[in-house]
Amino acid sequence: MRLAVFIEPQLGASYDDQLRIAQHAEELGFEAFFRSDHFLTMGSNSGLPGPTDSWATLAAIAVQTSRIRLGTLLTSATFRFPGVLAITVAQVDQMSRGRVELGLGAGWFEAEHTAYGVPFPSVRERFDRLEEQLAIVTGLWTTPEGERFSFHGKHYELTDSPALPKPAQSPRPPIIVGGHGKRRTPELAARFADEFNVPFGTVEATGEAYARVREACASAGREAPLFSAAQTIAVGRTDAEARRRAEAIGQQPPLFGTPAEVAEQIGRFAELGATRMFLQVLDLSDLDHLDVIQGELASLLP
């Protein structure tokens, strides 16, 4: 089981907070560091010092790390034009020397759009835009150097683009599609995804989502992508330590308990076919939490 540290900086984190977590995760041997792409806090959190742009943050972290993979879960298609997004992510991939992964979704949090003046269209239009963005970003990246890329869609039009810059990874960085949607999401995963992620779902719901993607891939005549899941975690060397971590984040998350208990919980996702877990760490001041995960939990996983 591959492990990624996943954080939610919109809840309250400076760049230095994020860098500290990313560098410590790299030192410990985690495969990846991912962050959300949101511009507004949620719940009762103040959100101080305020939001940070995901790709500006990952660009800076890229040059201050050397091994750990970097990405978003998920970038919202409502936030950026697809041509600009392709340029930005390709540049960060170059800066990281080929360590970037792009998670791209339709967007769902209306309040952050209202707060910062970003249009928030209907669900259908958001998915239509996501589909076009996936086609454009992957098309730009895979167009051979010296050739041009054009796209004529309902929402975006590109004419004779030089399709530059190219990312460091060839043919392109991995694409992650995720969610619980029953029709459009599996169809998009079957067309574009290298990895399909189910965030914060029960084991049963996650298995059902994987099955829909497998069915969509079979209909499209391709192999299923890699499967992953995202879950909040609070693990401790003892029951008391796990409880302290749960109290610090104000909840007992789905992945909770001692390393042996959490290994069993993650194992249920592995049985469904998940090969990577995005472990949502909410207390960014608790670096020892990462030590427990990598030092005590990881060795117990399938």
Side-chain angles (χ1 to χ4, degrees):
M1 179 66 71
R2 301 149 56 207
L3 298 180
V5 173
F6 173 44
I7 68 170
E8 303 268 5
Q10 77 278 0
L11 300 180
S14 67
Y15 171 72
D16 288 341
D17 295 328
Q18 297 173 69
L19 176 63
R20 184 167 53 251
I21 289 284
Q23 288 181 329
H24 193 60
E26 179 172 78
E27 291 167 2
L28 292 172
F30 282 90
E31 180 192 66
F33 169 84
F34 273 64
R35 56 155 289 163
S36 60
D37 189 10
H38 286 294
F39 292 115
L40 193 69
T41 192
M42 300 155 186
S44 59
N45 297 286
S46 69
L48 293 173
T52 51
D53 182 86
S54 61
W55 287 104
T57 299
L58 292 174
I61 291 176
V63 298
Q64 297 189 77
T65 55
S66 60
R67 184 200 57 78
I68 198 165
R69 296 190 65 78
L70 305 168
T72 52
L73 201 70
L74 296 165
T75 281
S76 175
T78 58
F79 290 162
R80 302 165 184 86
F81 289 111
V84 174
L85 178 64
I87 291 170
T88 300
V89 178
Q91 183 179 0
V92 180
D93 197 46
Q94 291 175 357
M95 295 164 73
S96 70
R97 294 177 173 83
R99 292 183 282 126
V100 158
E101 304 180 33
L102 173 60
L104 189 59
W108 62 270
F109 189 24
E110 183 174 7
E112 67 186 338
H113 294 73
T114 302
Y116 287 99
V118 179
F120 188 72
S122 67
V123 172
R124 172 175 288 188
E125 182 176 330
R126 295 201 307 275
F127 271 91
D128 289 345
R129 287 180 178 272
L130 172 61
E131 181 175 0
E132 292 189 18
Q133 289 215 358
L134 286 164
I136 291 167
V137 170
T138 56
L140 287 168
W141 286 344
T142 57
T143 296
E145 288 189 17
E147 296 186 13
R148 299 276 169 163
F149 175 81
S150 295
F151 181 90
H152 303 287
K154 181 178 179 180
H155 299 287
Y156 305 104
E157 184 166 331
L158 286 73
T159 303
D160 293 333
S161 172
L164 296 172
K166 298 302 183 193
Q169 296 175 85
S170 180
R172 55 170 175 76
I175 297 290
I176 302 171
V177 173
H180 296 266
K182 291 181 171 55
R183 185 179 66 85
R184 295 291 297 275
T185 298
E187 290 173 355
L188 293 176
R191 287 182 59 192
F192 298 105
D194 301 293
E195 180 175 337
F196 177 73
N197 178 269
V198 177
F200 313 118
T202 64
V203 173
E204 181 181 12
T206 300
E208 292 171 354
Y210 290 172
R212 289 192 292 268
V213 171
R214 289 190 180 101
E215 183 178 353
C217 287
S219 298
R222 63 157 286 191
E223 293 185 3
L226 299 175
F227 289 115
S228 62
Q231 293 288 339
T232 311
I233 187 169
V235 60
R237 297 174 183 87
T238 65
D239 289 333
E241 185 176 283
R243 285 195 297 272
R244 286 197 298 272
R245 290 204 161 101
E247 290 169 0
I249 62 174
Q251 61 172 288
Q252 180 174 311
L255 301 183
F256 169 76
T258 64
E261 290 170 331
V262 174
E264 182 178 351
Q265 295 157 8
I266 291 176
R268 296 173 192 143
F269 292 94
E271 290 171 358
L272 300 174
T275 59
R276 178 156 67 166
M277 288 296 297
F278 290 82
L279 303 177
Q280 187 194 54
V281 177
L282 293 179
D283 184 356
L284 302 190
S285 67
D286 184 5
L287 293 182
D288 183 62
H289 198 187
L290 302 190
D291 291 77
V292 176
I293 295 170
Q294 190 65 13
E296 312 260 346
L297 170 63
S299 62
L300 303 177
L301 297 175

